[in-house]
Amino acid sequence: MTSEPEPGRRRRIRRGAYLLPSLFTMGNMVLGFYAMILGLRDDFRTAAFMIILAAGLDSVDGAIARLTGTESDFGKEYDSLADVITFGAAPGLLAFLWGLEEFSKDTWLLSVFFMVCCATRLARFNVQSKVTDSRYFVGLPTPAAALCICSILLFAPEYTEDVKVYMQIVMGMALLLVGVLMVSTFRYRSLKKFNLRKRWSYRAFVPIAAVILACFYLGRAALLGVALLYTLSGPVASLVARLRHRDPAAPDEAPPAPPREGVP
């Protein structure tokens, strides 16, 4: 019995390596669609957890593609299409079904605005990914935007009618502001270049462990805090950079030009 030639075996392994990231992208898409079904059944907290799991898969597929050297234009476009469903349409629909439709019949426009901003953000990312600093995202990343909306859904318990009105206002403002941040030019720190092959000191895992423990013991409040901190990090960093480059002692008017030689 003859064994399979080595080049043929390598080709099959290579095809499998290219398929692996796409399987995670499919899982991302399935979880996003299932979250919408759960929302139609009024199970908003489970739906929010589905989107959080999808965000985990979204980070894994890119890491696997970089680790195996199987990044491709197809994978990038496929990932963006999945993200529009999971991180654009699903959070917008969940927010609307959760309470916005009870607040006003026109609040569906806020959900549509959020979804359109998500699609715009992804399209801009695809055309600018080769000309921007890979250490940063331009605009709030769509998974982080979806996590911000879902963390509000998880944090909000079953309120009385009087208190729920305020939560509906908060949710509507969140959809609007987070959507604007997605299409803004604020820079957000990227973890896309996290190198799984590199040796890391144990000190690098201290903040990661702290976040995991906080989410485990404090639950929904910790998740909401982490989501808000990252969401606001872009505008805050931009404001700090502006203040650092400003000289408070600079005069309001430019100083007069020095006299030319020979002129009194």
Side-chain angles (χ1 to χ4, degrees):
M1 185 169 97
T2 60
S3 60
E4 183 181 1
E6 191 65 24
R9 183 178 302 171
R10 288 180 180 175
R11 280 196 298 270
R12 298 182 80 167
I13 294 175
R14 190 68 175 171
R15 284 196 209 103
Y18 271 102
L19 181 61
L20 188 58
S22 295
L23 290 176
F24 282 91
T25 303
M26 291 178 197
N28 165 16
M29 205 183 316
V30 169
L31 288 174
F33 188 80
Y34 184 51
M36 290 189 280
I37 293 176
L38 291 172
L40 293 171
R41 296 174 180 172
D42 294 334
D43 191 358
F44 298 107
R45 287 183 175 170
T46 306
F49 274 119
M50 292 298 104
I51 294 179
I52 293 172
L53 289 176
L57 292 182
D58 183 66
S59 63
V60 169
D61 65 0
I64 290 177
R66 289 187 292 274
L67 185 64
T68 58
T70 55
E71 294 177 284
S72 65
D73 291 337
F74 171 81
K76 182 173 67 174
E77 299 297 334
Y78 193 46
D79 184 68
S80 294
L81 291 173
D83 288 354
V84 171
I85 296 173
T86 305
F87 306 130
L93 179 62
L94 291 177
F96 177 73
L97 294 174
W98 169 77
L100 289 183
E101 66 174 334
E102 301 172 7
F103 187 78
S104 172
K105 64 179 181 180
D106 295 325
T107 50
W108 63 272
L109 293 171
L110 294 173
S111 297
V112 170
F113 176 79
F114 180 86
M115 182 185 68
V116 170
C117 289
C118 175
T120 305
R121 165 71 178 78
L122 290 165
R124 186 180 66 182
F125 173 77
N126 285 347
V127 299
Q128 291 184 344
S129 58
K130 295 181 180 179
V131 296
T132 56
D133 189 345
S134 61
R135 296 174 300 171
Y136 297 93
F137 290 115
V138 179
L140 180 65
T142 55
L147 289 179
C148 185
I149 300 301
C150 290
S151 64
I152 298 175
L153 284 174
L154 286 172
F155 186 73
E158 297 298 328
Y159 290 110
T160 61
E161 289 301 320
D162 293 337
V163 180
K164 192 170 184 179
V165 172
Y166 295 103
M167 287 305 302
Q168 290 167 336
I169 295 173
V170 169
M171 180 62 77
M173 293 178 61
L175 287 173
L176 187 63
L177 294 176
V178 173
V180 170
L181 288 175
M182 277 194 285
V183 296
S184 70
T185 56
F186 293 125
R187 298 202 309 172
Y188 289 84
R189 175 65 71 171
S190 169
L191 300 178
K192 290 278 187 179
K193 296 302 179 182
F194 184 79
N195 190 353
L196 297 176
R197 296 174 177 173
K198 180 181 176 181
R199 288 187 176 182
W200 293 87
S201 168
Y202 69 92
R203 296 185 185 90
F205 293 96
V206 171
I208 298 174
V211 171
I212 294 174
L213 288 174
C215 291
F216 181 78
Y217 286 107
L218 301 178
R220 295 168 293 175
L223 180 62
L224 178 62
V226 171
L228 289 178
L229 282 175
Y230 186 76
T231 300
L232 297 175
S233 65
V236 170
S238 177
L239 178 61
V240 170
R242 285 176 180 270
L243 292 176
R244 281 181 178 174
H245 287 84
R246 236 169 95 185
D247 184 6
D252 294 333
E253 296 182 1
R260 290 178 295 174
E261 188 176 348
V263 178

